[in-house]
Amino acid sequence: MLRNFTTRFGIITLLVLFFSPSLTLASETDGTIDATNKYAWSENAGWLNFGTGVGAGDVHVTDAGLTGYVWTEQNGWVNLSPTNSGVTIDSAGNLADFAWGEQTGYIDFSNASIDANGIFHGTATNTITGTITFDCTNCLVETDYRPADFRSGGDG
């Protein structure tokens, strides 16, 4: 009797998982930054490292936005989710709102986005860092997160 229950439970579980239209991979909804492709460029601050690998400071990308810290040699740490602000993301991958650094102040991410392949594009700006670009020679910031509109499990 227990064997029949276990077999039926296993089959039902597989069917539910297989036919679930909203099933997505964990990394698509809680992404991290690629260990190699993690640098943006700022005209005033130099290279910005979005994938420092510093434990709790690691950048995560979720439907709520970006969390963690970016490192710049010129201006130190930049918090992507400070109190009363934070970089947000919509279902199409458009970033908005502000990060905060003690030496930079607020950085506006409203001209940046993440595409269907998890690649950052566009710019973020601030008077101290100037223009931070994701689309320059040798710039590439990549995540395994996918904006909701582009996920393999269905619509956003």
Side-chain angles (χ1 to χ4, degrees):
M1 176 126 167
L2 181 59
R3 189 171 123 195
N4 285 341
F5 174 77
T6 304
T7 302
R8 286 182 190 156
F9 181 76
I11 290 170
I12 291 169
T13 301
L14 287 174
L15 288 172
V16 168
L17 290 174
F18 182 75
F19 289 108
S20 176
S22 62
L23 182 66
T24 59
L25 300 174
S27 62
E28 287 186 324
T29 59
D30 183 5
T32 57
I33 302 299
D34 182 85
T36 304
N37 302 322
K38 58 185 181 177
Y39 294 103
W41 175 257
S42 163
E43 59 193 7
N44 296 338
W47 293 107
L48 282 85
N49 183 347
F50 279 74
T52 62
V54 187
D58 282 350
V59 172
H60 280 265
V61 186
T62 67
D63 291 339
L66 280 64
T67 59
Y69 294 81
V70 175
W71 174 253
T72 169
E73 195 71 37
Q74 297 287 336
N75 301 105
W77 293 103
V78 175
N79 183 352
L80 295 170
S81 55
T83 305
N84 299 323
S85 192
V87 180
T88 59
I89 186 168
D90 68 16
S91 64
N94 299 305
L95 301 179
D97 301 315
F98 300 88
W100 168 262
E102 284 189 30
Q103 295 181 28
T104 62
Y106 285 103
I107 300 172
D108 181 2
F109 275 77
S110 63
N111 290 314
S113 64
I114 300 172
D115 71 17
N117 297 312
I119 307 294
F120 284 65
H121 294 284
T123 61
T125 57
N126 155 290
T127 55
I128 295 171
T129 61
T131 299
I132 298 167
T133 183
F134 295 101
D135 298 313
C136 70
T137 304
N138 300 320
C139 291
L140 182 57
V141 179
E142 182 177 6
T143 179
D144 50 358
Y145 169 87
R146 298 297 182 264
D149 288 355
F150 305 111
R151 290 193 190 132
S152 60
D155 21 287

